[in-house]
Amino acid sequence: MQDDRVKVYSYNRRRIKYIFVMVCIAATVIIGRLAYIMVLKDKYYSERADNLHERERSIKAPRGRIYDRNGNILADNRAVCSVSVIHSQIEDEEAVIDLLEKYLDKSPEEIRKKVTKEIIAVNVSEETGDMIRAAALPGIKVDEDYKRNYPYDELASKMLGFTGADNQGILGLEVSYDSVLTGVPGSINA
């Protein structure tokens, strides 16, 4: 009977040693992996973390002007703004919704739905964009954009043509000289 107890005791003791060794090996592997990530791959993961909070956004270039032979402007650009949000940067969602409701012609429900997306409004006047930008709430981005403006409205409209929502020439001179009139877009990290 005593031999059986000694065998069980010896067996349990070996089993505990085996489990202890396995736990130590697992802990060593985990600590090694953490050291590898934190020491050797720190720049890689820091850049990835920054990219979660910063996005490269494009800045549209103004389209070239079209003049008549006397130097009068027939087609020009009017500065407008695009208002967008980066949801991960918003600190006070209600303050953002209140501010956007105050300056944009949109209902609070419509703004609340769009706050989870990125673009809230386009073709907002430059003055309104400046007021929203001046509030300096985290998460709200106001980008300058350009909308084609024809000072003489319909005068020579068939010859001048027009541009689409993306400011690309659709008809007339606007499409014929699109490569000349199109500006070079830039980018910004925000």
Side-chain angles (χ1 to χ4, degrees), residues 57-146:
R57 296 179 297 141
S58 64
I59 300 174
K60 292 183 181 176
R63 199 164 166 81
R65 292 181 174 144
I66 298 177
Y67 296 93
D68 68 1
R69 68 181 187 159
N70 297 322
N72 297 321
I73 297 174
L74 297 177
D76 197 4
N77 298 299
R78 181 174 47 120
V80 293
C81 295
S82 296
V83 178
S84 59
V85 295
I86 298 176
H87 197 274
S88 62
Q89 293 180 357
I90 294 176
E91 292 174 2
D92 185 1
E93 191 170 309
E94 289 304 316
V96 169
I97 292 169
D98 291 342
L99 178 75
L100 295 177
E101 179 191 358
K102 179 179 176 183
Y103 291 113
L104 301 176
D105 189 27
K106 296 184 182 295
S107 69
E109 294 79 26
E110 187 178 358
I111 292 173
R112 190 175 305 282
K113 286 180 193 173
K114 290 186 174 188
V115 163
T116 58
K117 298 178 184 173
E118 189 163 320
I119 295 185
I120 302 293
V122 294
N123 293 333
V124 175
S125 72
E126 191 173 19
E127 297 80 26
T128 303
D130 289 341
M131 288 186 281
I132 292 172
R133 190 181 291 125
L137 282 177
I140 298 179
K141 304 299 175 204
V142 179
D143 296 323
E144 287 191 12
D145 200 354
Y146 298 95

Side-chain angles (χ1 to χ4, degrees), residues 22 29 35 37 39 45 60 72 103 119 147 167 173 176 181:
M22 290 312 226
V29 169
I37 289 172
V39 175
Y45 286 108
K60 292 183 181 176
N72 297 321
Y103 291 113
I119 295 185
K147 186 175 182 177
N167 248 356
L173 291 175
S176 297
L181 295 171

Side-chain angles (χ1 to χ4, degrees), residues 21-48:
V21 168
M22 290 312 226
V23 168
C24 287
I25 290 172
T28 304
V29 169
I30 290 171
I31 290 171
R33 180 69 178 158
L34 284 174
Y36 171 75
I37 289 172
M38 293 172 67
V39 175
L40 298 176
K41 290 290 207 171
D42 67 324
K43 288 181 184 174
Y44 171 76
Y45 286 108
S46 291
E47 287 174 11
R48 298 231 13 210

Side-chain angles (χ1 to χ4, degrees), residues 160-176:
L160 290 174
F162 60 93
T163 60
D166 59 352
N167 248 356
Q168 183 177 8
I170 303 281
L171 216 65
L173 291 175
E174 293 282 9
V175 74
S176 297

